[in-house]
Coordinates of all heavy atoms in Angstrom, one line a residue:
M1232 N 56.2 227.4 107.2 CA 57.1 226.6 108.1 C 56.2 225.5 108.8 O 55.1 225.8 109.2 CB 57.6 227.6 109.2 CG 58.5 226.9 110.2 SD 59.0 227.9 111.6 CE 57.5 227.9 112.6
N1233 N 56.8 224.4 108.9 CA 56.2 223.3 109.6 C 56.5 223.2 111.1 O 57.6 222.8 111.4 CB 56.5 222.0 108.9 CG 55.8 220.8 109.4 OD1 55.3 220.8 110.6 ND2 55.6 219.8 108.6
T1234 N 55.6 223.7 111.9 CA 55.9 223.7 113.4 C 56.1 222.3 113.9 O 56.8 222.2 114.9 CB 54.8 224.4 114.2 OG1 53.6 223.8 113.9 CG2 54.8 225.9 113.7
N1235 N 55.4 221.3 113.4 CA 55.6 219.9 113.9 C 57.1 219.4 113.7 O 57.7 218.8 114.6 CB 54.7 219.0 113.2 CG 53.2 219.1 113.6 OD1 53.0 219.6 114.7 ND2 52.3 218.8 112.7
D1236 N 57.7 219.8 112.6 CA 59.1 219.5 112.4 C 60.0 220.2 113.4 O 61.0 219.6 113.9 CB 59.6 219.8 111.0 CG 59.0 218.9 109.9 OD1 58.5 217.8 110.3 OD2 59.0 219.3 108.7
L1237 N 59.7 221.4 113.7 CA 60.5 222.2 114.7 C 60.3 221.5 116.0 O 61.3 221.4 116.8 CB 60.0 223.6 114.7 CG 60.6 224.5 115.8 CD1 62.1 224.5 115.8 CD2 60.1 225.9 115.6
I1238 N 59.1 221.2 116.4 CA 58.9 220.6 117.8 C 59.6 219.2 117.9 O 60.3 218.9 118.9 CB 57.4 220.5 118.1 CG1 56.8 221.8 118.3 CG2 57.2 219.6 119.3 CD1 55.3 221.9 118.3
K1239 N 59.6 218.4 116.8 CA 60.3 217.2 116.8 C 61.8 217.3 117.0 O 62.5 216.6 117.7 CB 60.0 216.4 115.5 CG 58.6 215.8 115.5 CD 58.4 215.1 114.2 CE 56.9 214.7 114.0 NZ 56.6 214.1 112.7
A1240 N 62.3 218.4 116.3 CA 63.8 218.6 116.4 C 64.1 219.1 117.8 O 65.2 218.8 118.4 CB 64.2 219.7 115.3
L1241 N 63.3 219.9 118.4 CA 63.5 220.4 119.8 C 63.5 219.2 120.8 O 64.3 219.2 121.7 CB 62.4 221.4 120.2 CG 62.5 222.8 119.6 CD1 61.2 223.5 119.8 CD2 63.7 223.5 120.3
Q1242 N 62.6 218.2 120.6 CA 62.6 217.1 121.4 C 63.8 216.2 121.2 O 64.2 215.5 122.1 CB 61.3 216.3 121.1 CG 60.0 217.0 121.6 CD 58.7 216.4 121.1 OE1 58.7 215.6 120.1 NE2 57.6 216.6 121.8
K1243 N 64.4 216.2 120.0 CA 65.5 215.4 119.7 C 66.8 215.9 120.3 O 67.7 215.2 120.8 CB 65.6 215.3 118.2 CG 66.7 214.3 117.7 CD 66.5 214.1 116.2 CE 67.5 215.0 115.5 NZ 67.6 214.8 114.0
G1244 N 66.9 217.3 120.3 CA 68.2 217.9 120.8 C 68.2 219.4 120.7 O 67.1 220.0 120.9
V1245 N 69.3 220.0 120.4 CA 69.5 221.5 120.4 C 69.0 222.0 119.0 O 69.4 221.4 118.0 CB 70.9 221.9 120.6 CG1 71.1 223.4 120.5 CG2 71.4 221.4 122.0
V1246 N 68.3 223.1 119.1 CA 67.8 223.8 117.9 C 68.1 225.2 118.1 O 67.9 225.8 119.2 CB 66.3 223.6 117.6 CG1 65.7 224.4 116.5 CG2 66.0 222.1 117.4
T1247 N 68.5 225.9 117.0 CA 68.7 227.4 117.1 C 67.5 227.9 116.3 O 67.2 227.6 115.2 CB 70.0 227.8 116.5 OG1 71.1 227.3 117.3 CG2 70.1 229.3 116.4
I1248 N 66.8 228.9 117.0 CA 65.7 229.6 116.4 C 66.1 231.0 116.2 O 66.6 231.7 117.2 CB 64.4 229.5 117.3 CG1 64.0 228.0 117.5 CG2 63.3 230.3 116.7 CD1 62.8 227.9 118.4
V1249 N 65.9 231.5 115.0 CA 66.2 233.0 114.7 C 64.8 233.6 114.6 O 64.1 233.2 113.7 CB 67.0 233.1 113.4 CG1 67.3 234.5 113.1 CG2 68.3 232.3 113.5
F1250 N 64.6 234.6 115.4 CA 63.2 235.2 115.4 C 63.3 236.7 115.7 O 64.4 237.2 116.1 CB 62.3 234.6 116.4 CG 62.7 234.7 117.8 CD1 62.2 235.7 118.6 CD2 63.6 233.8 118.4 CE1 62.5 235.8 120.0 CE2 64.1 234.0 119.7 CZ 63.5 235.0 120.5
E1251 N 62.2 237.5 115.4 CA 62.2 238.9 115.7 C 61.5 239.1 117.0 O 60.4 238.6 117.2 CB 61.4 239.5 114.5 CG 61.3 241.0 114.7 CD 60.6 241.7 113.5 OE1 60.4 241.1 112.4 OE2 60.1 242.8 113.7
K1252 N 62.1 239.9 117.9 CA 61.6 240.1 119.2 C 60.4 241.1 119.0 O 60.5 242.1 118.2 CB 62.6 240.8 120.1 CG 63.7 239.8 120.5 CD 64.7 240.3 121.4 CE 64.0 240.6 122.8 NZ 65.0 241.1 123.8
L1253 N 59.3 240.8 119.7 CA 58.1 241.6 119.5 C 58.2 243.0 120.0 O 57.7 244.0 119.5 CB 56.9 240.9 120.2 CG 56.4 239.7 119.6 CD1 55.2 239.0 120.3 CD2 55.8 240.0 118.2
D1254 N 58.9 243.1 121.2 CA 59.0 244.4 121.8 C 60.0 245.4 121.1 O 59.7 246.6 121.1 CB 59.4 244.3 123.3 CG 60.7 243.5 123.5 OD1 61.2 243.0 122.6 OD2 61.2 243.6 124.6
T1255 N 61.0 244.9 120.5 CA 62.0 245.8 120.0 C 62.2 245.6 118.5 O 62.8 246.6 117.8 CB 63.4 245.6 120.6 OG1 63.8 244.3 120.2 CG2 63.4 245.7 122.1
G1256 N 61.7 244.5 117.9 CA 62.0 244.3 116.5 C 63.3 243.7 116.2 O 63.7 243.5 115.0
D1257 N 64.2 243.6 117.2 CA 65.6 243.1 117.0 C 65.5 241.6 116.7 O 64.6 240.9 117.0 CB 66.4 243.2 118.3 CG 66.7 244.6 118.7 OD1 66.6 245.5 117.8 OD2 67.1 244.8 119.9
I1258 N 66.5 241.1 115.9 CA 66.6 239.8 115.5 C 67.4 239.0 116.7 O 68.4 239.5 117.1 CB 67.3 239.5 114.2 CG1 66.5 240.3 113.1 CG2 67.5 238.1 113.9 CD1 65.1 239.7 112.9
R1259 N 66.8 238.0 117.2 CA 67.4 237.2 118.3 C 67.7 235.8 117.7 O 66.9 235.2 117.1 CB 66.4 237.2 119.4 CG 66.8 236.2 120.5 CD 67.1 236.9 121.8 NE 66.8 236.0 123.0 CZ 67.6 235.1 123.4 NH1 68.7 234.7 122.7 NH2 67.4 234.3 124.5
T1260 N 68.9 235.3 118.1 CA 69.3 233.9 117.8 C 69.4 233.2 119.1 O 70.2 233.5 120.0 CB 70.6 233.9 117.1 OG1 70.5 234.7 115.9 CG2 71.1 232.5 116.7
M1261 N 68.6 232.1 119.3 CA 68.4 231.4 120.6 C 68.6 230.0 120.4 O 67.8 229.3 119.7 CB 67.0 231.7 121.2 CG 66.8 231.1 122.5 SD 65.2 231.5 123.3 CE 64.1 230.8 122.1
P1262 N 69.6 229.4 121.1 CA 69.7 227.9 121.2 C 68.7 227.4 122.2 O 68.6 228.0 123.3 CB 71.2 227.6 121.6 CG 71.5 228.9 122.4 CD 70.8 230.0 121.8
C1263 N 67.9 226.4 121.9 CA 66.9 225.9 122.8 C 66.7 224.4 122.6 O 67.2 223.8 121.7 CB 65.6 226.7 122.6 SG 65.1 226.9 120.9
T1264 N 65.9 223.8 123.5 CA 65.6 222.4 123.4 C 64.3 222.1 124.2 O 63.8 222.9 124.9 CB 66.8 221.6 124.0 OG1 66.7 220.3 123.8 CG2 66.9 221.8 125.5
L1265 N 63.9 220.8 124.0 CA 62.9 220.2 124.8 C 63.4 218.8 125.2 O 62.6 217.9 125.5 CB 61.6 220.1 124.0 CG 60.8 221.4 123.8 CD1 59.6 221.1 122.8 CD2 60.3 222.0 125.1
N1266 N 64.8 218.6 125.2 CA 65.3 217.3 125.5 C 66.0 217.4 126.8 O 66.9 218.2 127.1 CB 66.4 217.0 124.4 CG 67.0 215.6 124.5 OD1 67.5 215.4 125.6 ND2 66.9 214.9 123.5
N1267 N 65.6 216.5 127.7 CA 66.2 216.4 129.0 C 67.6 216.1 129.1 O 68.3 216.5 130.0 CB 65.4 215.4 130.0 CG 64.0 215.9 130.4 OD1 63.9 217.1 130.8 ND2 63.1 215.1 130.2
D1268 N 68.2 215.4 128.2 CA 69.5 215.1 128.2 C 70.4 216.2 127.9 O 71.6 216.3 128.2 CB 69.8 213.9 127.1 CG 69.1 212.6 127.6 OD1 69.0 212.4 128.8 OD2 68.8 211.8 126.6
V1269 N 69.9 217.3 127.2 CA 70.7 218.5 126.9 C 70.6 219.5 127.9 O 71.5 220.2 128.3 CB 70.1 219.1 125.5 CG1 70.8 220.3 125.1 CG2 70.3 218.0 124.4
A1270 N 69.4 219.7 128.5 CA 69.2 220.8 129.5 C 69.8 220.4 130.9 O 70.0 219.3 131.2 CB 67.7 221.0 129.7
D1271 N 70.2 221.4 131.7 CA 70.8 221.2 133.0 C 69.7 220.8 134.0 O 70.0 220.6 135.2 CB 71.5 222.5 133.4 CG 72.8 222.7 132.6 OD1 73.3 221.7 132.0 OD2 73.2 223.8 132.6
Q1272 N 68.5 220.8 133.6 CA 67.5 220.5 134.6 C 66.4 219.7 133.9 O 66.3 219.5 132.7 CB 66.8 221.8 135.2 CG 66.2 222.7 134.1 CD 65.7 223.9 134.7 OE1 64.7 223.9 135.5 NE2 66.4 225.0 134.5
K1273 N 65.5 219.2 134.7 CA 64.4 218.3 134.3 C 63.4 219.2 133.6 O 62.8 220.1 134.2 CB 63.8 217.5 135.4 CG 62.7 216.6 135.0 CD 63.3 215.3 134.5 CE 62.1 214.3 134.3 NZ 62.4 213.3 133.4
L1274 N 63.1 218.9 132.3 CA 62.1 219.7 131.6 C 60.8 218.9 131.5 O 60.8 217.7 131.1 CB 62.6 219.9 130.1 CG 63.9 220.5 129.9 CD1 64.2 220.7 128.4 CD2 64.0 221.9 130.6
V1275 N 59.7 219.5 132.1 CA 58.5 218.8 132.1 C 57.4 219.7 131.4 O 57.1 220.8 131.8 CB 58.0 218.5 133.6 CG1 56.6 217.9 133.6 CG2 59.0 217.7 134.3
V1276 N 56.9 219.1 130.3 CA 55.7 219.8 129.6 C 54.6 218.8 129.6 O 54.7 217.8 128.9 CB 56.1 220.2 128.2 CG1 54.9 220.8 127.5 CG2 57.3 221.1 128.2
H1277 N 53.6 219.0 130.5 CA 52.6 218.0 130.6 C 51.7 218.0 129.3 O 51.4 217.1 128.7 CB 51.7 218.3 131.8 CG 52.5 218.0 133.1 ND1 52.8 216.8 133.5 CD2 53.1 218.9 134.0 CE1 53.5 216.9 134.7 NE2 53.6 218.1 134.9
R1278 N 51.2 219.2 129.0 CA 50.4 219.4 127.8 C 50.5 220.8 127.4 O 50.1 221.7 128.1 CB 49.0 218.9 128.1 CG 48.1 219.0 126.9 CD 46.8 218.4 127.1 NE 46.1 218.4 125.9 CZ 44.8 218.2 125.8 NH1 44.1 217.8 126.8 NH2 44.2 218.2 124.6
Y1279 N 50.9 221.0 126.2 CA 51.0 222.4 125.6 C 50.7 222.3 124.2 O 51.2 221.6 123.4 CB 52.4 223.0 125.8 CG 52.6 224.4 125.3 CD1 52.2 225.5 126.1 CD2 53.0 224.6 124.0 CE1 52.3 226.8 125.6 CE2 53.1 225.9 123.6 CZ 52.8 227.0 124.4 OH 52.9 228.3 123.9
S1280 N 49.7 223.1 123.8 CA 49.3 223.1 122.4 C 48.8 224.5 122.0 O 47.9 225.1 122.6 CB 48.1 222.1 122.2 OG 47.7 222.2 120.9
S1281 N 49.5 225.1 121.2 CA 49.2 226.4 120.6 C 49.6 226.6 119.2 O 50.8 226.3 118.9 CB 49.8 227.5 121.5 OG 49.6 228.8 120.9
P1282 N 48.7 226.9 118.3 CA 49.2 227.1 116.9 C 50.0 228.4 116.7 O 50.6 228.5 115.7 CB 47.9 227.2 116.2 CG 46.9 227.7 117.1 CD 47.3 227.2 118.5
D1283 N 50.0 229.3 117.7 CA 50.6 230.6 117.5 C 52.0 230.7 118.1 O 52.7 231.5 117.7 CB 49.8 231.7 118.2 CG 48.4 231.7 117.6 OD1 48.3 231.6 116.4 OD2 47.4 232.0 118.3
T1284 N 52.3 229.8 119.1 CA 53.6 229.9 119.8 C 54.3 228.6 119.9 O 53.6 227.5 120.0 CB 53.5 230.6 121.2 OG1 52.7 229.7 122.0 CG2 53.0 231.9 121.1
I1285 N 55.6 228.6 120.1 CA 56.4 227.4 120.4 C 57.0 227.6 121.7 O 57.6 228.6 122.0 CB 57.5 227.2 119.3 CG1 57.1 227.1 117.9 CG2 58.5 226.1 119.7 CD1 56.4 225.8 117.6
L1286 N 56.8 226.6 122.6 CA 57.3 226.7 124.0 C 58.6 225.9 123.9 O 58.6 224.8 123.5 CB 56.3 226.1 125.0 CG 56.9 226.0 126.4 CD1 57.0 227.4 127.0 CD2 55.8 225.2 127.2
C1287 N 59.7 226.5 124.5 CA 61.0 225.8 124.4 C 61.8 226.3 125.6 O 61.6 227.3 126.2 CB 61.7 225.9 123.1 SG 62.0 227.7 122.6
F1288 N 62.9 225.5 125.9 CA 63.8 225.9 127.0 C 65.0 226.6 126.4 O 65.8 226.0 125.7 CB 64.2 224.7 127.8 CG 64.9 225.0 129.0 CD1 64.3 225.5 130.2 CD2 66.3 224.9 129.1 CE1 65.0 225.8 131.3 CE2 67.0 225.3 130.2 CZ 66.4 225.7 131.4
G1289 N 65.2 227.9 126.7 CA 66.3 228.6 126.1 C 67.6 228.3 126.9 O 67.7 228.5 128.1
L1290 N 68.6 227.7 126.2 CA 69.8 227.2 126.8 C 70.8 228.4 127.1 O 71.5 228.3 128.1 CB 70.5 226.3 125.8 CG 69.8 225.0 125.6 CD1 70.4 224.2 124.4 CD2 69.7 224.1 126.8
D1291 N 70.6 229.5 126.4 CA 71.5 230.6 126.7 C 71.0 231.4 127.9 O 71.8 232.1 128.6 CB 71.7 231.6 125.5 CG 70.4 232.1 125.0 OD1 69.3 231.5 125.3 OD2 70.4 233.1 124.3
V1292 N 69.8 231.3 128.2 CA 69.2 232.1 129.4 C 68.8 231.1 130.6 O 68.3 231.5 131.6 CB 68.0 232.9 129.0 CG1 68.5 234.1 128.1 CG2 66.9 232.2 128.3
N1293 N 68.8 229.8 130.3 CA 68.5 228.8 131.3 C 67.0 229.0 131.8 O 66.8 229.0 133.0 CB 69.5 228.7 132.4 CG 69.6 227.3 132.9 OD1 69.3 226.3 132.3 ND2 69.9 227.3 134.3
A1294 N 66.1 229.3 130.9 CA 64.7 229.6 131.3 C 63.8 229.2 130.1 O 64.2 229.1 129.0 CB 64.6 231.0 131.6
W1295 N 62.5 229.0 130.4 CA 61.5 228.8 129.5 C 61.2 230.0 128.6 O 61.1 231.1 129.2 CB 60.2 228.3 130.1 CG 60.3 226.9 130.7 CD1 60.5 226.5 131.9 CD2 60.3 225.7 129.9 NE1 60.6 225.1 132.0 CE2 60.4 224.7 130.8 CE3 60.0 225.4 128.5 CZ2 60.4 223.3 130.4 CZ3 60.0 224.1 128.1 CH2 60.2 223.1 129.0
R1296 N 61.0 229.8 127.4 CA 60.7 230.9 126.5 C 59.5 230.5 125.5 O 59.5 229.3 125.2 CB 61.9 231.4 125.6 CG 63.0 232.0 126.4 CD 62.5 233.3 126.9 NE 63.6 234.0 127.6 CZ 63.6 234.2 129.0 NH1 62.6 233.8 129.7 NH2 64.6 234.9 129.5
D1297 N 58.7 231.4 125.1 CA 57.8 231.1 124.0 C 58.0 232.0 122.9 O 58.3 233.2 123.1 CB 56.3 231.1 124.5 CG 55.8 232.4 125.1 OD1 56.7 233.2 125.5 OD2 54.6 232.7 125.0
V1298 N 58.0 231.5 121.7 CA 58.3 232.3 120.5 C 57.1 232.2 119.6 O 56.6 231.1 119.3 CB 59.5 231.7 119.8 CG1 59.8 232.5 118.5 CG2 60.7 231.6 120.7
R1299 N 56.6 233.3 119.3 CA 55.5 233.5 118.4 C 55.9 232.9 117.0 O 56.9 233.3 116.4 CB 55.0 234.9 118.2 CG 53.6 235.0 117.6 CD 53.0 236.3 117.8 NE 52.8 236.6 119.2 CZ 51.8 237.2 119.7 NH1 50.8 237.6 118.9 NH2 51.6 237.4 121.0
V1300 N 55.1 232.0 116.4 CA 55.5 231.4 115.2 C 55.7 232.4 114.0 O 56.6 232.2 113.2 CB 54.4 230.3 114.8 CG1 54.6 229.7 113.4 CG2 54.4 229.2 115.8
T1301 N 54.9 233.4 114.0 CA 55.0 234.3 112.9 C 56.2 235.2 113.0 O 56.5 235.9 112.0 CB 53.7 235.3 112.9 OG1 53.7 236.0 114.2 CG2 52.4 234.5 112.6
T1302 N 57.0 235.2 114.1 CA 58.2 235.9 114.1 C 59.4 235.2 113.8 O 60.5 235.7 113.7 CB 58.4 236.5 115.6 OG1 58.6 235.5 116.5 CG2 57.2 237.4 116.0
I1303 N 59.3 233.8 113.7 CA 60.4 233.0 113.3 C 60.9 233.2 111.9 O 60.1 233.1 110.9 CB 60.1 231.5 113.6 CG1 59.8 231.3 115.0 CG2 61.3 230.6 113.1 CD1 59.3 229.8 115.4
K1304 N 62.2 233.6 111.8 CA 62.8 233.8 110.5 C 63.5 232.6 109.9 O 63.5 232.4 108.7 CB 63.9 235.0 110.6 CG 63.3 236.2 111.1 CD 62.3 236.9 110.2 CE 61.8 238.2 110.8 NZ 60.6 238.7 110.0
D1305 N 64.0 231.8 110.8 CA 64.8 230.6 110.4 C 65.0 229.7 111.7 O 64.9 230.2 112.8 CB 66.1 231.0 109.9 CG 66.9 229.8 109.2 OD1 66.2 228.8 108.9 OD2 68.1 230.0 109.0
W1306 N 65.2 228.5 111.5 CA 65.6 227.6 112.5 C 66.4 226.4 112.0 O 66.2 226.1 110.8 CB 64.4 227.1 113.3 CG 63.5 226.1 112.6 CD1 62.4 226.4 111.8 CD2 63.6 224.7 112.6 NE1 61.9 225.3 111.3 CE2 62.6 224.2 111.8 CE3 64.5 223.7 113.1 CZ2 62.4 222.8 111.5 CZ3 64.3 222.4 112.9 CH2 63.2 221.9 112.1
Y1307 N 67.3 225.9 112.8 CA 68.1 224.8 112.3 C 68.6 224.0 113.5 O 68.7 224.5 114.6 CB 69.3 225.3 111.5 CG 70.2 226.4 112.1 CD1 71.2 226.0 112.9 CD2 69.9 227.7 111.9 CE1 72.0 227.0 113.6 CE2 70.6 228.7 112.5 CZ 71.7 228.3 113.3 OH 72.5 229.3 113.9
E1308 N 68.9 222.7 113.3 CA 69.4 221.9 114.4 C 70.8 222.2 114.7 O 71.6 222.5 113.8 CB 69.3 220.4 113.9 CG 67.8 219.9 113.8 CD 67.7 218.5 113.5 OE1 68.4 217.7 114.2 OE2 66.9 218.1 112.6
G1309 N 71.1 222.2 116.0 CA 72.5 222.5 116.5 C 72.5 223.9 117.1 O 71.5 224.6 117.2
Y1310 N 73.7 224.1 117.7 CA 73.9 225.5 118.3 C 74.1 226.6 117.3 O 74.4 226.2 116.1 CB 75.2 225.4 119.2 CG 74.9 224.6 120.5 CD1 75.1 223.3 120.6 CD2 74.4 225.3 121.6 CE1 74.9 222.6 121.8 CE2 74.2 224.7 122.8 CZ 74.4 223.3 122.9 OH 74.2 222.6 124.1
P1311 N 74.0 227.9 117.6 CA 74.2 228.9 116.7 C 75.5 228.8 115.9 O 76.6 228.5 116.5 CB 74.1 230.2 117.5 CG 73.4 229.8 118.7 CD 73.7 228.3 119.0
K1312 N 75.4 229.1 114.6 CA 76.6 229.1 113.7 C 77.4 230.3 114.0 O 76.8 231.4 114.1 CB 76.2 229.0 112.3 CG 75.4 227.7 112.0 CD 74.9 227.8 110.6 CE 74.0 226.6 110.3 NZ 73.2 226.7 109.1
E1313 N 78.7 230.2 114.2 CA 79.5 231.4 114.3 C 79.6 232.2 113.0 O 79.9 231.5 112.0 CB 80.9 231.0 114.9 CG 80.8 230.3 116.2 CD 82.0 230.5 117.1 OE1 82.8 231.4 116.7 OE2 82.1 229.9 118.1
E1314 N 79.6 233.5 113.1 CA 79.7 234.3 112.0 C 81.1 234.4 111.5 O 82.0 234.5 112.4 CB 79.1 235.7 112.1 CG 77.7 235.7 112.3 CD 77.1 237.1 112.5 OE1 77.6 238.0 111.8 OE2 76.1 237.2 113.1
V1315 N 81.4 234.3 110.2 CA 82.8 234.4 109.7 C 83.0 235.9 109.3 O 82.2 236.4 108.5 CB 83.0 233.5 108.5 CG1 84.4 233.6 108.0 CG2 82.8 232.0 108.9
L1316 N 84.0 236.5 109.9 CA 84.2 237.9 109.5 C 85.2 238.1 108.4 O 86.1 237.3 108.2 CB 84.7 238.7 110.8 CG 83.8 238.6 112.0 CD1 84.4 239.4 113.2 CD2 82.5 239.3 111.6

């Protein structure tokens, strides 16, 4: 996975990240962003660099989250896709 592409997409708009939660092993689908035009508040990241985690603003929880890169199963631009039953 190319983390630079993910960060660029987060800066551009909404990205959905599908990852495994460390504490429970559950799969979580989270819409997130690093774009001020999308978030309800001013997002300020002065300097953040970690090869192990991605820092992003979770739109469903309205809070900052960091996701360990090794737990990411998938990511795509846009809000979560609705499952067809």
Side-chain angles (χ1 to χ4, degrees):
M1232 181 187 77
N1233 186 332
T1234 56
N1235 288 332
D1236 289 344
L1237 174 53
I1238 292 168
K1239 286 178 188 175
L1241 285 163
Q1242 291 170 337
K1243 187 171 94 174
V1245 176
V1246 173
T1247 295
I1248 299 177
V1249 179
F1250 64 98
E1251 183 177 340
K1252 292 180 69 173
L1253 288 176
D1254 56 347
T1255 64
D1257 293 341
I1258 300 297
R1259 167 116 156 76
T1260 301
M1261 179 177 66
C1263 47
T1264 192
L1265 289 174
N1266 184 303
N1267 284 315
D1268 294 333
V1269 175
D1271 290 339
Q1272 59 182 292
K1273 181 81 171 159
L1274 306 179
V1275 178
V1276 178
H1277 294 286
R1278 186 172 178 188
Y1279 180 84
S1280 178
S1281 171
D1283 300 324
T1284 61
I1285 299 289
L1286 178 68
C1287 55
F1288 189 79
L1290 295 169
D1291 57 342
V1292 292
N1293 209 30
W1295 287 101
R1296 294 291 184 250
D1297 61 333
V1298 179
R1299 195 168 296 220
V1300 171
T1301 58
T1302 66
I1303 297 175
K1304 304 296 184 190
D1305 190 19
W1306 69 270
Y1307 52 89
E1308 293 185 44
Y1310 285 93
K1312 299 172 185 168
E1313 297 212 14
E1314 293 184 30
V1315 178
L1316 300 177

